[in-house]
Amino acid sequence: MRKVIYIEKDIKDLPRTKYILKKFKNPIIILIDRYSEVFNKKNQNFRLQKINPAIILAKKYKNFILETPKSYTIGKKNNYYFSYMYNCLFDCRYCFLQGMYNSSNFVIFINYEDFFKEISFLKKKNIGKNTTIFSGYDCDSLAYDNITNFSNSVLKYFENFNDIELEIRTKSTYLKPFYRRSLKNIVLAFSFTPERFSTKYELGVASLKKRVDALKKVVNFGWNIGIRFDPFVIYEGWEVDYERLFKILFSTVPREQIHSVTYGNIRYPKKIFNNIKKMYTNEKLFLKFEKNKKNIYDENNGELIDNFCKNYLFTQIDQSKVFCNIHEK
Ligand code: SF4
């Protein structure tokens, strides 16, 4: 299937646009004024577009970095996030993006340097030392990296931001750019669910074995590693599956290289939950979700998850490295 690529006219001749275009054989190119003309319009269909998502190359002009919710941290006081891309190559059944956008086409903001410039202002404001920047909120940071080459720019810039911490979160096994000397201020964070769940609900994500093999390689280069059980999922037999997963992961990453471990339940704001539910009316995964305080939908299983994780994780790693993201009732 030929790839449809929309390009904002103002960036059509930039080297990065040309670099990305070269990755596709004979694409259908459509010039546009702004990405919002074609992305996320009301009558679009997320599931249909997911079959062969179009690419939209765009430029971002403002709101490069945003503050995370107050309680969200992996240890630092100031926490911000950014997304150089909207949407994801993978197709996780629980992904909140499908409830947030009407469109699953990929928007790529190619002016990566403007994100980094904004981040450098934090350094000037002298709050860099106590700051984490999270990459990968509206996308998976590395899932499309072989096309976008985003990580190469990250590595170049963060070498000079040595007091600002960056978390790059991913489920991808494309980690080639990180097979090099590690940077102390970058945390490579990997989200895992047990394989039995992942095979069924995380379409396009590599097998646990392939992911652990890729993880081993970056561990060997000395990178700081984040392990993310967010979401932590409950289903028949989850305890045994999680114990097995914990054992595999904590025997793969040496304690001193574990930067942090986080866990949290699946949770959605009302509008996002309703949109997702409409897409999968009979999906068992969402049957037990109910509305809690603050219009958040979850399965009311926070305490169960919290107890299980604490029991296991606190015996394995320093408590100060464990962070809980469970929605408070
Ligand atoms: S990897 Fe993350 S962003 Fe991508 S589909 Fe899965 S949950 Fe969504």
Side-chain angles (χ1 to χ4, degrees), residues 3 31 50 65 69 76-77 113 124 127-128 143 146-147 180 182 201 210 222 238 256 259 275 295 299 302:
K3 194 53 117 184
L31 293 179
K50 198 81 188 162
I65 57 170
K76 305 279 192 201
K77 186 168 164 242
E113 289 71 16
K124 285 189 189 128
I127 57 169
N146 64 333
I147 303 289
R180 49 151 277 170
S182 60
Y201 289 114
K210 282 195 181 143
W238 62 275
E256 63 279 11
H259 172 281
N275 288 342
N295 258 350
E299 281 187 292

Side-chain angles (χ1 to χ4, degrees), residues 87-137:
N87 279 323
C88 182
L89 186 69
F90 303 136
D91 190 7
C92 302
R93 195 49 87 240
Y94 55 78
C95 181
F96 80 101
L97 293 175
Q98 57 196 335
M100 197 159 85
Y101 298 131
N102 300 314
S103 170
S104 54
N105 289 337
F106 303 157
V107 180
I108 303 167
F109 296 109
I110 65 152
N111 50 326
Y112 310 153
E113 289 71 16
D114 290 330
F115 288 91
F116 305 137
K117 211 182 284 170
E118 189 89 359
I119 291 168
S120 73
F121 293 148
L122 298 175
K123 194 173 166 183
K124 285 189 189 128
K125 279 193 223 158
N126 220 11
I127 57 169
K129 268 198 184 88
N130 213 348
T131 298
T132 305
I133 313 278
F134 294 87
S135 166
Y137 178 76

